[in-house]
Amino acid sequence: MFYNPFSVEKNIHLDGKKFNKRVLMENGDSSLNLVAIEKEGIIDTHTSKEDAAVFVLDGEIELHFDAQKYTVKKGEMLMFKKDTQHKVLGIKNSKFILIKILSCIWILKSHNCFIINDGSTRAQPFRLRLFF
């Protein structure tokens, strides 16, 4: 799984849907996802529980936040804060990486990985689930 390069763009397809999401890695609410959306496809309004970043691999999408909209084209990235309502519109058939991450402090010690949430003094083991 680790150390095995794979084609990101070839690992997500619409499969007859308006949009499709594939989770690659996940740790609690943090995740790395591949998303495909067809032209004029819509991912309805929702709220992210985590800070997020969208990196467009192919195509062009629009992210709508209340009255503002942002166009994100191939090779561009848009980051936004948690608790932000938004929706996604496919301007073209598109594929993008969606990164969702909790605000945290990472500590590496003795080959073990720990995560400390903001304001917490307790370290918890970091467990990573892979889906490819």
Side-chain angles (χ1 to χ4, degrees):
M1 287 187 229
F2 290 106
Y3 312 114
N4 289 322
F6 70 99
S7 171
V8 174
E9 291 179 351
K10 291 179 182 175
N11 276 282
I12 185 74
H13 307 283
L14 286 169
D15 298 327
K17 303 174 186 174
K18 297 277 184 190
F19 74 92
N20 195 12
K21 180 174 97 169
R22 180 172 179 206
V23 179
L24 295 179
M25 294 173 28
E26 185 175 68
N27 176 29
D29 289 330
S30 297
S31 63
L32 175 64
N33 309 273
L34 292 177
V35 181
I37 187 169
E38 73 176 6
K39 181 179 180 179
E40 298 179 1
I42 296 174
I43 301 174
D44 287 326
T45 301
H46 59 284
T47 303
S48 177
K49 295 184 284 184
E50 307 83 15
D51 292 339
V54 171
F55 179 79
V56 176
L57 298 165
D58 192 33
E60 184 175 334
I61 61 173
E62 273 184 2
L63 278 96
H64 294 244
F65 301 89
D66 295 321
Q68 294 184 315
K69 67 179 179 181
Y70 299 91
T71 301
V72 188
K73 299 176 182 177
K74 180 179 180 175
E76 294 181 337
M77 175 182 271
L78 179 75
M79 295 174 276
F80 55 95
K81 295 297 232 171
K82 67 179 184 174
D83 300 324
T84 306
Q85 277 197 346
H86 59 283
K87 71 177 178 181
V88 182
L89 172 66
I91 302 301
K92 300 177 179 177
N93 286 344
S94 302
K95 294 180 180 181
F96 59 92
I97 295 174
L98 170 62
I99 304 164
K100 297 193 241 178
I101 189 162
L102 292 173
S103 298
C104 60
I105 301 169
W106 299 93
I107 297 175
L108 297 175
K109 184 179 179 182
S110 303
H111 304 302
N112 294 321
C113 190
F114 294 88
I115 181 171
I116 300 176
N117 291 329
D118 290 343
S120 173
T121 56
R122 293 185 327 218
Q124 301 171 12
F126 174 86
R127 289 184 174 75
L128 192 61
R129 292 189 310 178
L130 298 173
F131 295 89
F132 57 91

Short mmCIF file of all heavy atoms in Angstrom, two decimals, residues 8-36:
data_model
loop_
_atom_site.label_atom_id
_atom_site.label_comp_id
_atom_site.label_asym_id
_atom_site.label_seq_id
_atom_site.Cartn_x
_atom_site.Cartn_y
_atom_site.Cartn_z
N VAL A 8 -3.61 8.33 -9.67
CA VAL A 8 -4.75 8.89 -8.95
C VAL A 8 -5.94 9.04 -9.88
O VAL A 8 -7.05 8.64 -9.57
CB VAL A 8 -4.37 10.24 -8.31
CG1 VAL A 8 -5.56 10.90 -7.67
CG2 VAL A 8 -3.26 10.05 -7.29
N GLU A 9 -5.71 9.63 -11.05
CA GLU A 9 -6.80 9.90 -11.98
C GLU A 9 -7.48 8.63 -12.49
O GLU A 9 -8.65 8.64 -12.81
CB GLU A 9 -6.31 10.75 -13.14
CG GLU A 9 -5.94 12.16 -12.71
CD GLU A 9 -5.43 13.02 -13.84
OE1 GLU A 9 -5.18 12.48 -14.94
OE2 GLU A 9 -5.27 14.23 -13.63
N LYS A 10 -6.75 7.52 -12.56
CA LYS A 10 -7.34 6.27 -13.05
C LYS A 10 -8.06 5.50 -11.95
O LYS A 10 -8.69 4.49 -12.22
CB LYS A 10 -6.25 5.39 -13.67
CG LYS A 10 -5.69 5.97 -14.96
CD LYS A 10 -4.61 5.08 -15.52
CE LYS A 10 -4.03 5.70 -16.79
NZ LYS A 10 -2.91 4.93 -17.31
N ASN A 11 -7.98 5.96 -10.70
CA ASN A 11 -8.58 5.24 -9.59
C ASN A 11 -9.90 5.82 -9.11
O ASN A 11 -10.38 5.46 -8.04
CB ASN A 11 -7.58 5.16 -8.43
CG ASN A 11 -6.64 4.01 -8.60
OD1 ASN A 11 -7.00 2.88 -8.34
ND2 ASN A 11 -5.44 4.28 -9.09
N ILE A 12 -10.49 6.71 -9.88
CA ILE A 12 -11.83 7.22 -9.57
C ILE A 12 -12.59 7.38 -10.88
O ILE A 12 -12.06 7.91 -11.84
CB ILE A 12 -11.79 8.54 -8.75
CG1 ILE A 12 -13.17 8.98 -8.32
CG2 ILE A 12 -11.09 9.64 -9.53
CD1 ILE A 12 -13.77 8.19 -7.21
N HIS A 13 -13.81 6.85 -10.91
CA HIS A 13 -14.65 6.92 -12.11
C HIS A 13 -16.08 7.27 -11.68
O HIS A 13 -16.48 7.02 -10.54
CB HIS A 13 -14.64 5.58 -12.85
CG HIS A 13 -13.25 5.09 -13.15
ND1 HIS A 13 -12.49 5.61 -14.16
CD2 HIS A 13 -12.49 4.17 -12.54
CE1 HIS A 13 -11.31 5.01 -14.17
NE2 HIS A 13 -11.29 4.14 -13.19
N LEU A 14 -16.85 7.78 -12.61
CA LEU A 14 -18.24 8.14 -12.30
C LEU A 14 -19.14 6.90 -12.16
O LEU A 14 -20.10 6.92 -11.40
CB LEU A 14 -18.80 9.09 -13.35
CG LEU A 14 -18.25 10.52 -13.25
CD1 LEU A 14 -18.63 11.33 -14.48
CD2 LEU A 14 -18.75 11.19 -11.99
N ASP A 15 -18.84 5.85 -12.90
CA ASP A 15 -19.63 4.62 -12.82
C ASP A 15 -21.13 4.88 -12.96
O ASP A 15 -21.95 4.32 -12.22
CB ASP A 15 -19.36 3.86 -11.52
CG ASP A 15 -17.90 3.42 -11.41
OD1 ASP A 15 -17.30 3.11 -12.47
OD2 ASP A 15 -17.37 3.38 -10.29
N GLY A 16 -21.51 5.78 -13.89
CA GLY A 16 -22.91 6.08 -14.15
C GLY A 16 -23.56 7.01 -13.15
O GLY A 16 -24.76 7.25 -13.21
N LYS A 17 -22.79 7.57 -12.21
CA LYS A 17 -23.33 8.48 -11.20
C LYS A 17 -23.01 9.92 -11.57
O LYS A 17 -22.15 10.19 -12.38
CB LYS A 17 -22.72 8.17 -9.83
CG LYS A 17 -22.91 6.74 -9.37
CD LYS A 17 -22.13 6.51 -8.09
CE LYS A 17 -22.17 5.05 -7.68
NZ LYS A 17 -21.31 4.78 -6.54
N LYS A 18 -23.73 10.87 -10.93
CA LYS A 18 -23.44 12.30 -11.13
C LYS A 18 -22.11 12.66 -10.47
O LYS A 18 -21.38 13.51 -10.95
CB LYS A 18 -24.54 13.17 -10.52
CG LYS A 18 -25.90 12.97 -11.16
CD LYS A 18 -26.00 13.79 -12.39
CE LYS A 18 -27.41 13.67 -12.97
NZ LYS A 18 -27.50 14.26 -14.28
N PHE A 19 -21.80 12.02 -9.33
CA PHE A 19 -20.50 12.18 -8.69
C PHE A 19 -20.18 10.90 -7.93
O PHE A 19 -21.06 10.11 -7.59
CB PHE A 19 -20.43 13.41 -7.79
CG PHE A 19 -21.17 13.28 -6.48
CD1 PHE A 19 -20.52 12.82 -5.34
CD2 PHE A 19 -22.50 13.62 -6.38
CE1 PHE A 19 -21.20 12.70 -4.14
CE2 PHE A 19 -23.19 13.51 -5.19
CZ PHE A 19 -22.53 13.05 -4.06
N ASN A 20 -18.89 10.71 -7.66
CA ASN A 20 -18.44 9.51 -6.96
C ASN A 20 -17.27 9.90 -6.08
O ASN A 20 -16.44 10.73 -6.46
CB ASN A 20 -18.03 8.43 -7.96
CG ASN A 20 -17.91 7.07 -7.33
OD1 ASN A 20 -18.33 6.85 -6.20
ND2 ASN A 20 -17.34 6.14 -8.07
N LYS A 21 -17.19 9.32 -4.88
CA LYS A 21 -16.09 9.60 -3.96
C LYS A 21 -15.45 8.29 -3.52
O LYS A 21 -16.15 7.33 -3.24
CB LYS A 21 -16.59 10.37 -2.73
CG LYS A 21 -15.51 10.70 -1.73
CD LYS A 21 -16.03 11.57 -0.61
CE LYS A 21 -16.37 10.70 0.57
NZ LYS A 21 -16.63 11.47 1.79
N ARG A 22 -14.13 8.29 -3.48
CA ARG A 22 -13.39 7.12 -3.01
C ARG A 22 -12.45 7.56 -1.89
O ARG A 22 -11.63 8.47 -2.08
CB ARG A 22 -12.59 6.51 -4.15
CG ARG A 22 -11.80 5.31 -3.71
CD ARG A 22 -11.18 4.60 -4.88
NE ARG A 22 -10.42 3.46 -4.37
CZ ARG A 22 -9.40 2.92 -4.98
NH1 ARG A 22 -9.01 3.40 -6.15
NH2 ARG A 22 -8.77 1.91 -4.46
N VAL A 23 -12.57 6.94 -0.73
CA VAL A 23 -11.71 7.25 0.41
C VAL A 23 -10.41 6.46 0.26
O VAL A 23 -10.43 5.25 0.13
CB VAL A 23 -12.40 6.89 1.74
CG1 VAL A 23 -11.48 7.18 2.92
CG2 VAL A 23 -13.72 7.63 1.89
N LEU A 24 -9.27 7.18 0.28
CA LEU A 24 -7.97 6.53 0.17
C LEU A 24 -7.36 6.27 1.54
O LEU A 24 -6.79 5.21 1.78
CB LEU A 24 -7.00 7.38 -0.65
CG LEU A 24 -7.35 7.59 -2.12
CD1 LEU A 24 -6.30 8.48 -2.77
CD2 LEU A 24 -7.45 6.26 -2.83
N MET A 25 -7.45 7.25 2.42
CA MET A 25 -6.91 7.13 3.78
C MET A 25 -7.86 7.83 4.73
O MET A 25 -8.48 8.82 4.37
CB MET A 25 -5.53 7.79 3.89
CG MET A 25 -4.47 7.12 3.08
SD MET A 25 -2.84 7.95 2.99
CE MET A 25 -2.69 8.84 4.46
N GLU A 26 -7.92 7.30 5.97
CA GLU A 26 -8.85 7.89 6.93
C GLU A 26 -8.30 7.69 8.34
O GLU A 26 -7.75 6.64 8.66
CB GLU A 26 -10.20 7.20 6.80
CG GLU A 26 -11.29 7.77 7.64
CD GLU A 26 -12.61 7.08 7.32
OE1 GLU A 26 -12.74 5.88 7.64
OE2 GLU A 26 -13.48 7.73 6.73
N ASN A 27 -8.44 8.72 9.16
CA ASN A 27 -8.10 8.65 10.58
C ASN A 27 -9.12 9.50 11.31
O ASN A 27 -9.04 10.72 11.28
CB ASN A 27 -6.69 9.16 10.84
CG ASN A 27 -6.37 9.15 12.31
OD1 ASN A 27 -6.90 8.35 13.08
ND2 ASN A 27 -5.51 10.07 12.73
N GLY A 28 -10.10 8.86 11.93
CA GLY A 28 -11.16 9.62 12.57
C GLY A 28 -11.90 10.44 11.54
O GLY A 28 -12.36 9.92 10.53
N ASP A 29 -11.97 11.75 11.76
CA ASP A 29 -12.66 12.63 10.81
C ASP A 29 -11.73 13.17 9.73
O ASP A 29 -12.17 13.85 8.81
CB ASP A 29 -13.31 13.81 11.55
CG ASP A 29 -14.51 13.38 12.38
OD1 ASP A 29 -15.18 12.41 11.97
OD2 ASP A 29 -14.78 14.01 13.41
N SER A 30 -10.43 12.91 9.83
CA SER A 30 -9.48 13.35 8.80
C SER A 30 -9.43 12.30 7.70
O SER A 30 -9.46 11.11 7.98
CB SER A 30 -8.09 13.55 9.40
OG SER A 30 -8.10 14.56 10.38
N SER A 31 -9.35 12.76 6.45
CA SER A 31 -9.31 11.79 5.35
C SER A 31 -8.71 12.40 4.09
O SER A 31 -8.65 13.61 3.92
CB SER A 31 -10.71 11.26 5.05
OG SER A 31 -11.56 12.30 4.64
N LEU A 32 -8.28 11.49 3.21
CA LEU A 32 -7.80 11.83 1.87
C LEU A 32 -8.72 11.12 0.90
O LEU A 32 -8.87 9.90 0.98
CB LEU A 32 -6.35 11.36 1.69
CG LEU A 32 -5.74 11.55 0.31
CD1 LEU A 32 -5.63 13.03 -0.04
CD2 LEU A 32 -4.37 10.89 0.25
N ASN A 33 -9.39 11.87 0.01
CA ASN A 33 -10.42 11.32 -0.86
C ASN A 33 -10.18 11.71 -2.31
O ASN A 33 -9.65 12.78 -2.59
CB ASN A 33 -11.79 11.90 -0.47
CG ASN A 33 -12.07 11.76 1.01
OD1 ASN A 33 -12.57 10.74 1.43
ND2 ASN A 33 -11.73 12.77 1.79
N LEU A 34 -10.61 10.83 -3.21
CA LEU A 34 -10.68 11.16 -4.63
C LEU A 34 -12.15 11.35 -4.96
O LEU A 34 -13.00 10.57 -4.53
CB LEU A 34 -10.14 10.01 -5.48
CG LEU A 34 -8.66 9.73 -5.39
CD1 LEU A 34 -8.32 8.51 -6.23
CD2 LEU A 34 -7.87 10.93 -5.85
N VAL A 35 -12.45 12.39 -5.74
CA VAL A 35 -13.83 12.67 -6.12
C VAL A 35 -13.89 12.91 -7.62
O VAL A 35 -13.04 13.58 -8.19
CB VAL A 35 -14.38 13.92 -5.37
CG1 VAL A 35 -15.83 14.18 -5.75
CG2 VAL A 35 -14.23 13.76 -3.86
N ALA A 36 -14.91 12.34 -8.25
CA ALA A 36 -15.21 12.62 -9.66
C ALA A 36 -16.61 13.20 -9.71
O ALA A 36 -17.51 12.76 -8.99
CB ALA A 36 -15.15 11.34 -10.49
#
